[in-house]
Amino acid sequence: MPKPCRTARAPSSSSSKPAWRPEPKVNAIAPLHADRLLPDTGEPGFGIYVHWPFCAAKCPYCDFNSHVRHQPVDQLRFTAAFFKEMETMRRLSGPKTVTSIFLGGGTPSLMDPATVSAILDGIARHWHVPDGIEITMEANPSSVEATRFRGYRAAGVNRVSLGVQALNDTDLRFLGRLHDVADALKAIKLARDIFPRMSFDLIYARPNQTREAWEAELRQAVSYAVDHLSLYQLTIEEGTPFYGLHKAGKLVVPDDDLSADLYQATQEITESFGMPAYEVSNHAKPGAESRHNLTYWRYGDYAGIGPGAHGRLTRGGSKIATATERRPETWLEQVEAQGHGMVDQEILGSDEQADELLLMGLRLREGVDLARWQQLSGRDPDPVREQTLLEHGFIERIGNSRLRCTPSGMLILDAVVADLAC
């Protein structure tokens, strides 16, 4: 049986110093972002994604845009570049009200709190940032980074997403993580005490993992009073060290049947603890869903800022797909020279937008808004294909307005999307 789909991280010193300097102050927008978030309206929203591309070490399974530098990163210079690229993105997006901010990577928790504060201030200068929006930061649970949590909270971050990945030390070493279980539990407790909302990631379908072992680990995870979990199957991505080991037969992952069994166990346990899947790999208590990721899956607009960031911006009736230079130092030089690091700006046609809407929306338990898809595609779903998928129990209608995958359909999501998009 097919696996379910998985979810879309030191420059030299500048001769001319940037005008901005970090100061140990509370971010100007921090008091606005109290513990209570604005309610989810169900609308796609407008998000800001900022990519910090640096990591302390490169994990062997990771194909994100992340880079290790053995000299300190010039945070002043990168922050000044973020400001410049914000200006360009603001011109492309026009005036917008921000519904979520996400600091991803890489490892954003390697940034100084003053850097985070400055980035959030920069966003507030370029777009309208209302009271009560979600501001998420990815973090690794090493003890050194965890000590910075209070500084990030003071800067305005009100949700943290921890890259825990496993709750046993043997598998953490296998995954190339720098923390152990004790570090992870300490970081989880600290994050729970400091941030209004907290999530953490786990990777399952690891080599030699049984259903019984995964069930025990997952029950342990949901016992830590979290309201959101991201649970991904280990995927062997081309270009990673794991890919070479897997191709050579030195790394064996669970077969499709066991992977599907582990996926089913994941759904059953999280559902029983009141954290059902609202997306193929993400689970939350009602109301605790990631607002920023919902913007992606509902096919909203978002500005992507930083090395390797992607964006979707609607302007003048057109949807523009943006992508920036991946290599941090090259991105930095381009931004300093021309005000942005974009290497691609593609105007998406209606058919391309319809396909992306379907691809993203069918990941969600709430499904796809059919009227919006029909408006973009100019047609109804193929009745024969839809009926076949309905008869096999892979999709279902929600009234006349929405279409979604069933739990069985989630297991073959790529095939369902391909069928409906034809």
Side-chain angles (χ1 to χ4, degrees):
M1 186 177 293
K3 292 184 181 180
C5 296
R6 181 181 170 182
T7 300
R9 302 187 150 29
S12 59
S13 299
S14 174
S15 56
S16 58
K17 296 181 179 179
W20 173 79
R21 287 290 182 272
E23 297 178 4
K25 65 181 182 64
V26 174
N27 187 280
I29 65 175
L32 300 176
H33 299 280
D35 290 0
R36 186 177 297 277
L37 268 63
L38 292 171
D40 175 19
T41 64
E43 296 298 315
F46 174 70
I48 304 291
Y49 176 80
V50 180
H51 191 81
W52 185 257
F54 302 109
C55 282
K58 183 77 172 180
C59 297
Y61 58 85
C62 177
D63 69 337
F64 294 164
N65 187 39
S66 58
H67 305 263
V68 177
R69 297 292 181 262
H70 299 294
Q71 299 297 323
V73 173
D74 189 340
Q75 295 193 34
L76 291 175
R77 190 178 172 196
F78 270 88
T79 303
F82 285 140
F83 292 161
K84 282 192 171 185
E85 193 158 79
M86 285 178 196
E87 292 175 10
T88 297
M89 294 301 177
R90 170 60 176 78
R91 287 194 294 272
L92 281 177
S93 74
K96 294 279 189 180
T97 295
V98 178
T99 54
S100 65
I101 299 170
F102 197 101
L103 308 177
T107 306
S109 53
L110 292 176
M111 284 190 282
D112 294 333
T115 301
V116 174
S117 178
I119 289 170
L120 296 180
D121 275 340
I123 292 169
R125 287 196 301 271
H126 290 90
W127 294 274
H128 173 53
V129 180
D131 181 8
I133 71 163
E134 175 191 274
I135 301 178
T136 301
M137 180 178 185
E138 291 182 334
N140 278 344
S142 71
S143 57
V144 173
E145 293 165 24
T147 62
R148 301 181 176 197
F149 281 0
R150 293 193 186 279
Y152 300 139
R153 179 69 187 108
V157 175
N158 56 21
R159 181 177 181 271
V160 69
S161 179
L162 294 171
V164 172
Q165 313 308 7
L167 289 173
N168 71 76
D169 287 339
T170 299
D171 282 359
L172 284 173
R173 287 191 294 270
F174 161 74
L175 292 169
R177 307 301 286 169
L178 298 181
H179 63 273
D180 58 19
V181 172
D183 290 332
L185 298 184
K186 180 180 177 182
I188 288 170
K189 182 181 185 306
L190 189 63
R192 192 173 56 203
D193 291 344
I194 293 172
F195 297 97
R197 299 179 69 196
M198 186 266 290
S199 176
F200 64 86
D201 299 356
L202 292 177
I203 295 174
Y204 66 100
R206 307 188 293 260
N208 302 314
Q209 189 175 42
T210 64
R211 175 168 178 153
E212 292 73 23
W214 171 235
E215 287 179 341
E217 186 173 356
L218 186 52
R219 286 193 175 94
Q220 182 184 0
V222 296
S223 73
Y224 295 132
V226 296
D227 58 11
H228 189 287
L229 286 171
S230 296
L231 306 171
Y232 303 112
Q233 287 197 21
L234 177 63
T235 304
I236 306 300
E237 304 288 357
E238 190 169 355
T240 65
F242 273 6
Y243 180 83
L245 292 171
H246 181 67
K247 192 172 182 181
K250 297 178 180 179
L251 191 161
V252 180
V253 296
D255 62 23
D256 287 346
D257 287 340
L258 178 53
S259 294
D261 201 28
L262 293 169
Y263 176 78
Q264 185 61 38
T266 303
Q267 310 316 303
E268 293 171 359
I269 290 174
T270 53
E271 185 93 33
S272 71
F273 279 88
M275 297 177 64
Y278 69 96
E279 188 268 347
V280 65
S281 299
N282 285 270
H283 306 254
K285 294 179 180 177
E289 299 86 357
S290 168
R291 304 288 174 79
H292 189 82
N293 286 338
L294 283 173
T295 293
Y296 297 153
W297 297 320
R298 288 171 175 165
Y299 203 45
D301 277 12
Y302 53 98
I305 297 158
H310 290 251
R312 293 291 185 275
L313 298 171
T314 301
R315 188 71 188 272
S318 298
K319 191 95 160 181
I320 303 169
T322 66
T324 59
E325 165 62 41
R326 290 173 59 87
R327 187 172 183 274
E329 291 78 12
T330 304
W331 172 86
L332 185 62
E333 292 169 358
Q334 289 182 1
V335 173
E336 291 174 340
Q338 63 189 23
H340 65 84
M342 281 186 288
V343 293
D344 191 24
Q345 292 185 60
E346 178 186 0
I347 297 177
L348 300 177
S350 295
D351 286 344
E352 292 169 301
Q353 293 181 54
D355 287 348
E356 288 191 341
L357 172 66
L358 198 65
L359 175 66
M360 302 304 285
L362 284 179
R363 300 182 68 90
L364 288 170
R365 192 172 193 173
E366 69 185 33
V368 171
D369 181 344
L370 276 176
R372 189 179 174 202
W373 182 81
Q374 289 164 331
Q375 183 179 25
L376 286 170
S377 66
R379 61 184 175 87
D380 295 327
D382 183 279
V384 175
R385 293 177 183 275
E386 182 182 357
Q387 187 59 35
T388 300
L389 292 169
L390 285 166
E391 289 174 355
H392 282 83
F394 294 140
I395 61 171
E396 59 188 0
R397 288 265 189 161
I398 310 172
N400 293 319
S401 61
R402 303 192 76 83
L403 185 72
R404 70 178 178 187
C405 278
T406 63
S408 296
M410 286 294 188
L411 284 166
I412 55 167
L413 180 56
D414 286 346
V416 171
V417 171
D419 252 11
L420 289 173
C422 290

